[in-house]
Amino acid sequence: MVNLKKYTEFLKLFVIFLTFFFVLSCSNKVVHLTKVEGKQIAITEKENQVTEIENFIKPYRAHINSDLDNVLAYCPGTLDKKAKNWQSTIGNMMSDVILRRGDIVFKARENKNIDICLLNHGGIRAILPKGNVTARNAFEIMPFENTMVVIALKGEQVLEMVNYFISEKKPHPLSGITFTIDKENQPINILVQGKPIEIDKIYYVGTNDYLSSGGDNMNFFKKGIATYDLDYKLRNILIDYFKETDTIKSFQDNRIIVE
């Protein structure tokens, strides 16, 4: 006869074993990265592949080049960054144009006028050569995506701006303000839009988004009491100016006088 007692005990042990086995088999396994391997795969160009790629992009390149090389205006003389009386021909043109065209947008949106425009000499990356002017010229002069920003500054900060200009000794593009540098290297006769500067008055200064946050150590912009982003790229301002004018103008005037 079968010993049922022994069989029952065996069955219990078997059930416990199966339970333990299934618990272990269902538990999450932890995997650790122990080795990383890599190899260099050479990229070879097949003649038919190059031809296919070229045929694909050719119409797009032709369309872009057509837009970039379309003649928009004429420049009677080369405008460059060479300093003369703390100014440059291309800097004067750019600051005057950006102030004037930016002011149109600012007036329409905020019912205020831009008083001054200050840019940075290093941001100009090419000359504007004598001859036909195209959109490509604008991309060469301003290859970055900087937009125009207007900062509300008190006259005190405008004075800081003038002192910064003098200390830098660079022909940063400047418009809307004139001053004299005396023999002590101090600013005198500061005029904003032809009127003597007032320390407590609010002035609206146009610049780019990089400088507005203190770029090139123009920390006076960070003291502004209001900031307005016009969402208008400086490059597009130049292109719009080229489109609206027949002959490019630049003035070497007396906006900065050195005694």
Side-chain angles (χ1 to χ4, degrees), residues 80-114:
D80 57 35
K81 294 170 61 176
K82 294 178 182 178
K84 182 179 179 183
N85 296 331
W86 296 60
Q87 305 166 68
S88 70
T89 51
I90 194 168
N92 283 3
M93 181 273 290
M94 289 180 60
S95 57
D96 288 346
V97 167
I98 289 170
L99 189 154
R100 180 170 59 85
R101 290 200 60 86
D103 185 61
I104 296 173
V105 177
F106 193 55
K107 179 69 174 179
R109 293 183 184 177
E110 306 294 336
N111 197 30
K112 297 178 176 66
N113 292 106
I114 299 175

mmCIF file of all heavy atoms in Angstrom, residues 80-114:
data_model
loop_
_atom_site.group_PDB
_atom_site.id
_atom_site.type_symbol
_atom_site.label_atom_id
_atom_site.label_comp_id
_atom_site.label_asym_id
_atom_site.label_seq_id
_atom_site.Cartn_x
_atom_site.Cartn_y
_atom_site.Cartn_z
ATOM 1 N N ASP A 80 33.296 100.947 -45.571
ATOM 2 C CA ASP A 80 34.063 99.981 -44.788
ATOM 3 C C ASP A 80 34.127 100.393 -43.318
ATOM 4 O O ASP A 80 33.486 101.359 -42.904
ATOM 5 C CB ASP A 80 35.468 99.805 -45.368
ATOM 6 C CG ASP A 80 36.234 101.117 -45.455
ATOM 7 O OD1 ASP A 80 36.062 101.976 -44.564
ATOM 8 O OD2 ASP A 80 37.007 101.313 -46.414
ATOM 9 N N LYS A 81 34.908 99.640 -42.540
ATOM 10 C CA LYS A 81 34.987 99.839 -41.088
ATOM 11 C C LYS A 81 36.159 100.724 -40.663
ATOM 12 O O LYS A 81 36.408 100.873 -39.474
ATOM 13 C CB LYS A 81 35.110 98.472 -40.398
ATOM 14 C CG LYS A 81 33.895 97.590 -40.546
ATOM 15 C CD LYS A 81 34.160 96.174 -40.049
ATOM 16 C CE LYS A 81 34.526 96.127 -38.588
ATOM 17 N NZ LYS A 81 34.679 94.743 -38.084
ATOM 18 N N LYS A 82 36.868 101.273 -41.622
ATOM 19 C CA LYS A 82 38.022 102.095 -41.268
ATOM 20 C C LYS A 82 37.593 103.305 -40.453
ATOM 21 O O LYS A 82 36.640 104.004 -40.800
ATOM 22 C CB LYS A 82 38.751 102.548 -42.529
ATOM 23 C CG LYS A 82 39.389 101.399 -43.315
ATOM 24 C CD LYS A 82 40.046 101.914 -44.583
ATOM 25 C CE LYS A 82 40.639 100.767 -45.386
ATOM 26 N NZ LYS A 82 41.250 101.240 -46.656
ATOM 27 N N ALA A 83 38.313 103.554 -39.361
ATOM 28 C CA ALA A 83 37.950 104.634 -38.452
ATOM 29 C C ALA A 83 38.444 105.980 -38.952
ATOM 30 O O ALA A 83 39.577 106.115 -39.398
ATOM 31 C CB ALA A 83 38.520 104.350 -37.070
ATOM 32 N N LYS A 84 37.563 106.952 -38.872
ATOM 33 C CA LYS A 84 37.906 108.338 -39.174
ATOM 34 C C LYS A 84 37.025 109.206 -38.281
ATOM 35 O O LYS A 84 35.799 109.155 -38.366
ATOM 36 C CB LYS A 84 37.658 108.659 -40.646
ATOM 37 C CG LYS A 84 38.058 110.088 -41.017
ATOM 38 C CD LYS A 84 37.807 110.358 -42.489
ATOM 39 C CE LYS A 84 38.183 111.795 -42.848
ATOM 40 N NZ LYS A 84 37.890 112.097 -44.267
ATOM 41 N N ASN A 85 37.666 109.992 -37.417
ATOM 42 C CA ASN A 85 36.919 110.789 -36.433
ATOM 43 C C ASN A 85 36.001 109.898 -35.593
ATOM 44 O O ASN A 85 34.868 110.256 -35.308
ATOM 45 C CB ASN A 85 36.109 111.885 -37.130
ATOM 46 C CG ASN A 85 36.986 112.897 -37.835
ATOM 47 O OD1 ASN A 85 38.118 113.137 -37.434
ATOM 48 N ND2 ASN A 85 36.466 113.466 -38.907
ATOM 49 N N TRP A 86 36.529 108.736 -35.184
ATOM 50 C CA TRP A 86 35.801 107.792 -34.340
ATOM 51 C C TRP A 86 34.539 107.248 -35.012
ATOM 52 O O TRP A 86 33.615 106.800 -34.355
ATOM 53 C CB TRP A 86 35.424 108.433 -33.004
ATOM 54 C CG TRP A 86 36.593 108.817 -32.150
ATOM 55 C CD1 TRP A 86 37.598 109.693 -32.465
ATOM 56 C CD2 TRP A 86 36.891 108.339 -30.847
ATOM 57 N NE1 TRP A 86 38.495 109.800 -31.434
ATOM 58 C CE2 TRP A 86 38.073 108.990 -30.405
ATOM 59 C CE3 TRP A 86 36.261 107.469 -29.968
ATOM 60 C CZ2 TRP A 86 38.650 108.760 -29.164
ATOM 61 C CZ3 TRP A 86 36.822 107.249 -28.718
ATOM 62 C CH2 TRP A 86 38.007 107.877 -28.324
ATOM 63 N N GLN A 87 34.513 107.287 -36.334
ATOM 64 C CA GLN A 87 33.365 106.801 -37.084
ATOM 65 C C GLN A 87 33.852 105.964 -38.258
ATOM 66 O O GLN A 87 35.026 105.997 -38.612
ATOM 67 C CB GLN A 87 32.532 107.960 -37.624
ATOM 68 C CG GLN A 87 32.066 108.966 -36.584
ATOM 69 C CD GLN A 87 31.549 110.231 -37.244
ATOM 70 O OE1 GLN A 87 30.514 110.218 -37.899
ATOM 71 N NE2 GLN A 87 32.283 111.326 -37.076
ATOM 72 N N SER A 88 32.936 105.233 -38.869
ATOM 73 C CA SER A 88 33.234 104.522 -40.112
ATOM 74 C C SER A 88 32.068 104.740 -41.067
ATOM 75 O O SER A 88 30.937 104.979 -40.642
ATOM 76 C CB SER A 88 33.438 103.023 -39.859
ATOM 77 O OG SER A 88 32.214 102.392 -39.515
ATOM 78 N N THR A 89 32.365 104.671 -42.341
ATOM 79 C CA THR A 89 31.304 104.922 -43.329
ATOM 80 C C THR A 89 30.198 103.879 -43.256
ATOM 81 O O THR A 89 29.012 104.212 -43.295
ATOM 82 C CB THR A 89 31.899 104.945 -44.749
ATOM 83 O OG1 THR A 89 32.695 103.760 -44.956
ATOM 84 C CG2 THR A 89 32.775 106.172 -44.948
ATOM 85 N N ILE A 90 30.585 102.610 -43.097
ATOM 86 C CA ILE A 90 29.543 101.580 -43.042
ATOM 87 C C ILE A 90 28.810 101.632 -41.703
ATOM 88 O O ILE A 90 27.605 101.371 -41.634
ATOM 89 C CB ILE A 90 30.140 100.177 -43.289
ATOM 90 C CG1 ILE A 90 29.012 99.176 -43.575
ATOM 91 C CG2 ILE A 90 31.007 99.701 -42.124
ATOM 92 C CD1 ILE A 90 29.496 97.840 -44.115
ATOM 93 N N GLY A 91 29.514 102.007 -40.643
ATOM 94 C CA GLY A 91 28.872 102.121 -39.335
ATOM 95 C C GLY A 91 27.849 103.234 -39.298
ATOM 96 O O GLY A 91 26.756 103.070 -38.742
ATOM 97 N N ASN A 92 28.184 104.377 -39.890
ATOM 98 C CA ASN A 92 27.235 105.486 -39.941
ATOM 99 C C ASN A 92 26.001 105.116 -40.741
ATOM 100 O O ASN A 92 24.870 105.435 -40.359
ATOM 101 C CB ASN A 92 27.904 106.726 -40.540
ATOM 102 C CG ASN A 92 28.821 107.431 -39.560
ATOM 103 O OD1 ASN A 92 29.015 106.985 -38.443
ATOM 104 N ND2 ASN A 92 29.392 108.545 -39.986
ATOM 105 N N MET A 93 26.222 104.458 -41.875
ATOM 106 C CA MET A 93 25.082 104.054 -42.706
ATOM 107 C C MET A 93 24.168 103.109 -41.951
ATOM 108 O O MET A 93 22.950 103.295 -41.899
ATOM 109 C CB MET A 93 25.585 103.384 -43.987
ATOM 110 C CG MET A 93 24.483 102.946 -44.951
ATOM 111 S SD MET A 93 23.810 101.279 -44.622
ATOM 112 C CE MET A 93 25.217 100.249 -45.089
ATOM 113 N N MET A 94 24.752 102.094 -41.306
ATOM 114 C CA MET A 94 23.948 101.089 -40.613
ATOM 115 C C MET A 94 23.189 101.677 -39.433
ATOM 116 O O MET A 94 21.994 101.412 -39.257
ATOM 117 C CB MET A 94 24.846 99.938 -40.155
ATOM 118 C CG MET A 94 25.358 99.071 -41.285
ATOM 119 S SD MET A 94 26.405 97.718 -40.695
ATOM 120 C CE MET A 94 25.274 96.846 -39.615
ATOM 121 N N SER A 95 23.862 102.462 -38.596
ATOM 122 C CA SER A 95 23.183 103.016 -37.418
ATOM 123 C C SER A 95 22.081 103.985 -37.816
ATOM 124 O O SER A 95 21.005 103.997 -37.200
ATOM 125 C CB SER A 95 24.186 103.702 -36.493
ATOM 126 O OG SER A 95 24.899 104.716 -37.169
ATOM 127 N N ASP A 96 22.311 104.772 -38.860
ATOM 128 C CA ASP A 96 21.274 105.703 -39.329
ATOM 129 C C ASP A 96 20.065 104.947 -39.869
ATOM 130 O O ASP A 96 18.909 105.273 -39.563
ATOM 131 C CB ASP A 96 21.830 106.619 -40.421
ATOM 132 C CG ASP A 96 22.808 107.654 -39.881
ATOM 133 O OD1 ASP A 96 22.858 107.838 -38.652
ATOM 134 O OD2 ASP A 96 23.516 108.279 -40.698
ATOM 135 N N VAL A 97 20.336 103.920 -40.668
ATOM 136 C CA VAL A 97 19.249 103.146 -41.288
ATOM 137 C C VAL A 97 18.465 102.379 -40.228
ATOM 138 O O VAL A 97 17.227 102.362 -40.228
ATOM 139 C CB VAL A 97 19.821 102.176 -42.348
ATOM 140 C CG1 VAL A 97 18.765 101.162 -42.771
ATOM 141 C CG2 VAL A 97 20.322 102.952 -43.558
ATOM 142 N N ILE A 98 19.172 101.740 -39.295
ATOM 143 C CA ILE A 98 18.510 100.926 -38.274
ATOM 144 C C ILE A 98 17.693 101.804 -37.332
ATOM 145 O O ILE A 98 16.597 101.428 -36.909
ATOM 146 C CB ILE A 98 19.552 100.077 -37.527
ATOM 147 C CG1 ILE A 98 20.059 98.986 -38.473
ATOM 148 C CG2 ILE A 98 18.973 99.471 -36.252
ATOM 149 C CD1 ILE A 98 21.258 98.219 -37.969
ATOM 150 N N LEU A 99 18.210 102.994 -37.007
ATOM 151 C CA LEU A 99 17.429 103.913 -36.177
ATOM 152 C C LEU A 99 16.155 104.341 -36.906
ATOM 153 O O LEU A 99 15.057 104.301 -36.336
ATOM 154 C CB LEU A 99 18.268 105.135 -35.805
ATOM 155 C CG LEU A 99 17.659 106.094 -34.761
ATOM 156 C CD1 LEU A 99 18.773 106.861 -34.026
ATOM 157 C CD2 LEU A 99 16.684 107.098 -35.354
ATOM 158 N N ARG A 100 16.307 104.715 -38.164
ATOM 159 C CA ARG A 100 15.150 105.255 -38.902
ATOM 160 C C ARG A 100 14.092 104.190 -39.152
ATOM 161 O O ARG A 100 12.903 104.407 -38.899
ATOM 162 C CB ARG A 100 15.623 105.854 -40.230
ATOM 163 C CG ARG A 100 14.497 106.435 -41.082
ATOM 164 C CD ARG A 100 15.043 107.230 -42.254
ATOM 165 N NE ARG A 100 15.875 106.414 -43.116
ATOM 166 C CZ ARG A 100 15.393 105.645 -44.099
ATOM 167 N NH1 ARG A 100 14.088 105.571 -44.290
ATOM 168 N NH2 ARG A 100 16.206 104.966 -44.873
ATOM 169 N N ARG A 101 14.508 103.018 -39.629
ATOM 170 C CA ARG A 101 13.518 101.987 -39.945
ATOM 171 C C ARG A 101 12.973 101.334 -38.678
ATOM 172 O O ARG A 101 11.805 100.965 -38.608
ATOM 173 C CB ARG A 101 14.121 100.934 -40.868
ATOM 174 C CG ARG A 101 14.402 101.437 -42.278
ATOM 175 C CD ARG A 101 14.533 100.278 -43.246
ATOM 176 N NE ARG A 101 13.313 99.494 -43.290
ATOM 177 C CZ ARG A 101 12.258 99.752 -44.075
ATOM 178 N NH1 ARG A 101 12.285 100.808 -44.875
ATOM 179 N NH2 ARG A 101 11.202 98.981 -44.050
ATOM 180 N N GLY A 102 13.821 101.195 -37.653
ATOM 181 C CA GLY A 102 13.334 100.655 -36.387
ATOM 182 C C GLY A 102 12.337 101.589 -35.739
ATOM 183 O O GLY A 102 11.375 101.152 -35.098
ATOM 184 N N ASP A 103 12.560 102.881 -35.915
ATOM 185 C CA ASP A 103 11.661 103.874 -35.326
ATOM 186 C C ASP A 103 10.251 103.763 -35.903
ATOM 187 O O ASP A 103 9.266 103.996 -35.205
ATOM 188 C CB ASP A 103 12.218 105.279 -35.564
ATOM 189 C CG ASP A 103 11.390 106.353 -34.881
ATOM 190 O OD1 ASP A 103 11.290 106.321 -33.635
ATOM 191 O OD2 ASP A 103 10.826 107.219 -35.591
ATOM 192 N N ILE A 104 10.142 103.397 -37.169
ATOM 193 C CA ILE A 104 8.823 103.234 -37.797
ATOM 194 C C ILE A 104 8.037 102.135 -37.082
ATOM 195 O O ILE A 104 6.854 102.298 -36.757
ATOM 196 C CB ILE A 104 8.978 102.901 -39.299
ATOM 197 C CG1 ILE A 104 9.632 104.068 -40.046
ATOM 198 C CG2 ILE A 104 7.620 102.565 -39.921
ATOM 199 C CD1 ILE A 104 9.980 103.759 -41.487
ATOM 200 N N VAL A 105 8.705 101.021 -36.812
ATOM 201 C CA VAL A 105 8.055 99.891 -36.137
ATOM 202 C C VAL A 105 7.747 100.247 -34.687
ATOM 203 O O VAL A 105 6.651 99.967 -34.183
ATOM 204 C CB VAL A 105 8.959 98.644 -36.202
ATOM 205 C CG1 VAL A 105 8.337 97.479 -35.434
ATOM 206 C CG2 VAL A 105 9.224 98.249 -37.651
ATOM 207 N N PHE A 106 8.709 100.868 -34.008
ATOM 208 C CA PHE A 106 8.543 101.214 -32.592
ATOM 209 C C PHE A 106 7.408 102.220 -32.401
ATOM 210 O O PHE A 106 6.619 102.114 -31.459
ATOM 211 C CB PHE A 106 9.862 101.783 -32.060
ATOM 212 C CG PHE A 106 9.923 101.887 -30.562
ATOM 213 C CD1 PHE A 106 9.684 100.791 -29.753
ATOM 214 C CD2 PHE A 106 10.246 103.096 -29.960
ATOM 215 C CE1 PHE A 106 9.756 100.888 -28.376
ATOM 216 C CE2 PHE A 106 10.320 103.201 -28.578
ATOM 217 C CZ PHE A 106 10.075 102.096 -27.786
ATOM 218 N N LYS A 107 7.329 103.174 -33.292
ATOM 219 C CA LYS A 107 6.266 104.184 -33.215
ATOM 220 C C LYS A 107 4.899 103.540 -33.408
ATOM 221 O O LYS A 107 3.931 103.865 -32.698
ATOM 222 C CB LYS A 107 6.504 105.262 -34.281
ATOM 223 C CG LYS A 107 5.467 106.362 -34.326
ATOM 224 C CD LYS A 107 5.522 107.261 -33.106
ATOM 225 C CE LYS A 107 4.575 108.433 -33.233
ATOM 226 N NZ LYS A 107 4.585 109.316 -32.041
ATOM 227 N N ALA A 108 4.805 102.629 -34.361
ATOM 228 C CA ALA A 108 3.528 101.967 -34.629
ATOM 229 C C ALA A 108 3.081 101.083 -33.467
ATOM 230 O O ALA A 108 1.892 100.998 -33.160
ATOM 231 C CB ALA A 108 3.644 101.129 -35.903
ATOM 232 N N ARG A 109 4.026 100.441 -32.788
ATOM 233 C CA ARG A 109 3.676 99.499 -31.719
ATOM 234 C C ARG A 109 3.530 100.172 -30.359
ATOM 235 O O ARG A 109 2.636 99.828 -29.588
ATOM 236 C CB ARG A 109 4.744 98.405 -31.625
ATOM 237 C CG ARG A 109 4.800 97.481 -32.819
ATOM 238 C CD ARG A 109 5.835 96.399 -32.591
ATOM 239 N NE ARG A 109 5.987 95.548 -33.762
ATOM 240 C CZ ARG A 109 6.872 94.555 -33.854
ATOM 241 N NH1 ARG A 109 7.669 94.292 -32.819
ATOM 242 N NH2 ARG A 109 6.964 93.838 -34.943
ATOM 243 N N GLU A 110 4.438 101.101 -30.057
ATOM 244 C CA GLU A 110 4.490 101.671 -28.708
ATOM 245 C C GLU A 110 4.148 103.151 -28.655
ATOM 246 O O GLU A 110 4.089 103.730 -27.563
ATOM 247 C CB GLU A 110 5.887 101.453 -28.107
ATOM 248 C CG GLU A 110 6.368 100.013 -28.100
ATOM 249 C CD GLU A 110 5.539 99.127 -27.197
ATOM 250 O OE1 GLU A 110 4.921 99.667 -26.250
ATOM 251 O OE2 GLU A 110 5.498 97.905 -27.431
ATOM 252 N N ASN A 111 3.947 103.765 -29.829
ATOM 253 C CA ASN A 111 3.699 105.206 -29.917
ATOM 254 C C ASN A 111 4.819 106.010 -29.251
ATOM 255 O O ASN A 111 4.579 107.012 -28.591
ATOM 256 C CB ASN A 111 2.346 105.563 -29.284
ATOM 257 C CG ASN A 111 1.859 106.943 -29.714
ATOM 258 O OD1 ASN A 111 2.164 107.407 -30.818
ATOM 259 N ND2 ASN A 111 1.123 107.612 -28.849
ATOM 260 N N LYS A 112 6.041 105.527 -29.439
ATOM 261 C CA LYS A 112 7.227 106.199 -28.926
ATOM 262 C C LYS A 112 8.264 106.260 -30.042
ATOM 263 O O LYS A 112 8.174 105.523 -31.022
ATOM 264 C CB LYS A 112 7.807 105.457 -27.717
ATOM 265 C CG LYS A 112 6.889 105.381 -26.504
ATOM 266 C CD LYS A 112 7.552 104.596 -25.391
ATOM 267 C CE LYS A 112 6.723 104.581 -24.117
ATOM 268 N NZ LYS A 112 5.457 103.849 -24.270
ATOM 269 N N ASN A 113 9.245 107.125 -29.855
ATOM 270 C CA ASN A 113 10.299 107.276 -30.851
ATOM 271 C C ASN A 113 11.644 106.804 -30.311
ATOM 272 O O ASN A 113 11.944 106.983 -29.129
ATOM 273 C CB ASN A 113 10.436 108.729 -31.301
ATOM 274 C CG ASN A 113 9.242 109.211 -32.080
ATOM 275 O OD1 ASN A 113 8.415 109.985 -31.581
ATOM 276 N ND2 ASN A 113 9.123 108.766 -33.316
ATOM 277 N N ILE A 114 12.439 106.217 -31.188
ATOM 278 C CA ILE A 114 13.796 105.827 -30.825
ATOM 279 C C ILE A 114 14.682 107.067 -30.904
ATOM 280 O O ILE A 114 14.667 107.790 -31.902
ATOM 281 C CB ILE A 114 14.329 104.723 -31.762
ATOM 282 C CG1 ILE A 114 13.452 103.475 -31.651
ATOM 283 C CG2 ILE A 114 15.779 104.386 -31.425
ATOM 284 C CD1 ILE A 114 13.833 102.365 -32.620
#
